[in-house]
Amino acid sequence: MSTQEVAQALQPIEAADPFQLAGQTFTSRLLLGTGGAPSLEVLERAIVASGTQLVTVALRRVETSTSGGLLEVLDRCGVRLLPNTAGCMTAREAVLTARLAREAFDTAWVKLEVIGDEDTLLPDPLELLDAAEQLVADGFTVLPYTSDDPILARRLADVGCAAVMPLGSPIGSGLGIRNPHNIALMRDLVSVPMVLDAGIGTASDAAMAMELGCDAVLLASAVTRARDAEQMALAMRHGVDAGRLAAQAGRIPRRWHAKASTPLQGRPDL
Amino acid sequence: MRITINGVATDVEDETTVADLVSGRAEDRSRVAVAVNAEVVPRSQWEATSLGPEDSIELLAATAGG
């Protein structure tokens, strides 16, 4: 089967288990960032293979933007746009950027990023919460990129964020989910959708996010910077789907010692 | 008069509006955003918003990211 045929075959399976985010229904639980691809052709093939219905875009000065071609590709793919506030380091900057994105893309949805440091790109929790509160009050659907702190996630949900999007590890690091226990605790503490955002390196990381109770996964570099982006997009899609199925199937408890699957009763005396 | 557009000092005609700037600089007018002195100028106000000396304008469009 070709990549396209496999991707098409997954659609009915995904459609049977849709995902609600801020009142919108998505059948794909994989959100894709558009950054990092070597070309728009590679990006387009990755988007199609991933089956994503929601992709992030950024706002930059017109001289440096890739606007025309990028938006044509995204329109052709029929995906919804989720503007981000990447690069903002204060609540003031992030709120202004979100308002500009609302003008540019005619959407009140925003992936809210307020980073505290350019080396780690880790979120600044205080500025993030402040920005989230202001944007919710201004009518935005706020999807905050946050650290893996369950209490902060609860605070973000309490101020009205439509979802929380915890990192697994730093953006673009590919280090996977460094604190799975925190992600599982967060699942217990917040009832809004949870989207694992950042740090995914390979398909097993995406599966783990879903097994830990996330509703969806957002990733970019792991696909766009892979040697074969299209194939990795398909792998991520399988990972997300597999993790979701496993989470719903109910895994066996972990045990210290072995438990035989073959009955001892009736064993011959040899 | 002299204004700053995306960080570059630029001379423009007096009475230049935001709409004039956008027309000259953005290929797809429908999906850009403009801030003047760190305030959003809604699309509906572009024609009516004249720029003044020393104004700082940010003219933004989509780029791949995040």
Side-chain angles (χ1 to χ4, degrees):
Chain A
M1 277 175 112
S2 70
T3 300
Q4 287 87 350
E5 286 168 333
V6 175
Q8 275 176 8
L10 292 173
Q11 277 172 2
I13 299 167
E14 292 161 351
D17 181 27
F19 157 53
Q20 294 275 332
L21 187 58
Q24 298 293 311
T25 302
F26 298 90
T27 54
S28 167
R29 292 170 179 268
L30 179 54
L31 284 56
L32 206 62
T34 55
S39 70
L40 288 174
E41 290 71 27
V42 168
L43 178 64
E44 184 166 5
R45 284 204 301 274
I47 288 173
V48 172
S50 75
T52 189
Q53 294 162 326
L54 185 61
V55 303
T56 63
V57 291
L59 263 189
R60 288 292 178 264
R61 287 172 167 171
V62 287
E63 300 85 0
T64 56
S65 78
T66 50
S67 179
L70 174 69
L71 294 175
E72 271 174 35
V73 165
L74 301 181
D75 287 346
R76 191 156 59 230
C77 292
V79 289
R80 185 181 177 123
L81 301 186
L82 175 60
N84 69 23
T85 62
C88 291
M89 299 189 76
T90 63
R92 190 194 64 79
E93 268 183 291
V95 167
L96 181 56
T97 302
R99 288 177 178 152
L100 286 163
R102 182 168 59 182
E103 280 294 314
F105 305 119
D106 199 23
T107 173
W109 286 35
V110 63
K111 173 183 166 180
L112 179 61
E113 289 183 52
V114 191
I115 56 166
D117 178 272
E118 284 180 358
D119 292 321
T120 63
L121 300 179
L122 292 172
D124 181 322
L126 303 183
E127 296 290 323
L128 180 68
L129 189 60
D130 180 8
E133 206 162 1
Q134 291 185 49
L135 288 170
V136 168
D138 195 14
F140 280 86
T141 293
V142 181
L143 311 174
Y145 160 65
T146 179
S147 43
D148 60 4
D149 176 350
I151 303 300
L152 175 59
R154 188 170 65 186
R155 292 288 296 265
L156 288 163
D158 286 348
V159 300
C161 291
V164 291
M165 306 209 295
L167 56 80
S169 53
I171 292 172
S173 70
L175 289 171
I177 300 173
R178 304 314 297 170
N179 196 338
H181 186 58
N182 265 22
I183 301 297
L185 277 177
M186 192 181 291
R187 176 70 294 169
D188 287 345
L189 287 188
V190 304
S191 54
V192 293
M194 250 172 77
V195 181
L196 199 290
D197 179 7
I200 298 286
T202 188
S204 52
D205 299 329
M208 180 192 259
M210 300 303 290
E211 289 168 18
L212 290 169
C214 291
D215 297 282
V217 171
L218 197 169
L219 54 88
S221 309
V223 162
T224 58
R225 296 195 166 117
R227 192 174 63 238
D228 185 333
E230 183 181 28
Q231 190 167 326
M232 188 58 92
L234 189 60
M236 290 298 181
R237 184 173 181 176
H238 278 294
V240 167
D241 290 352
R244 172 71 183 168
L245 284 170
Q248 292 195 302
R251 57 153 301 144
I252 59 168
R254 289 178 175 85
R255 303 171 62 91
W256 189 253
H257 282 130
K259 179 179 170 64
S261 59
T262 306
L264 289 176
Q265 200 180 19
R267 194 168 51 162
D269 192 8
L270 301 172
Chain B
M1 64 180 173
R2 175 153 288 204
I3 60 175
T4 302
I5 306 171
N6 287 353
V8 178
T10 309
D11 289 313
V12 297
E13 302 281 320
D14 290 356
E15 306 298 314
T16 296
T17 65
V18 168
D20 297 332
L21 274 193
V22 173
S23 301
R25 287 167 185 267
E27 54 182 85
D28 179 5
R29 197 186 140 89
S30 69
R31 294 204 268 195
V32 300
V34 182
V36 176
N37 302 329
E39 293 283 342
V40 181
V41 181
R43 192 176 303 277
S44 58
Q45 300 296 311
W46 286 359
E47 301 282 350
T49 305
S50 294
L51 299 168
E54 311 296 319
D55 276 353
S56 178
I57 293 94
E58 291 288 341
L59 187 51
L60 308 176
T63 201

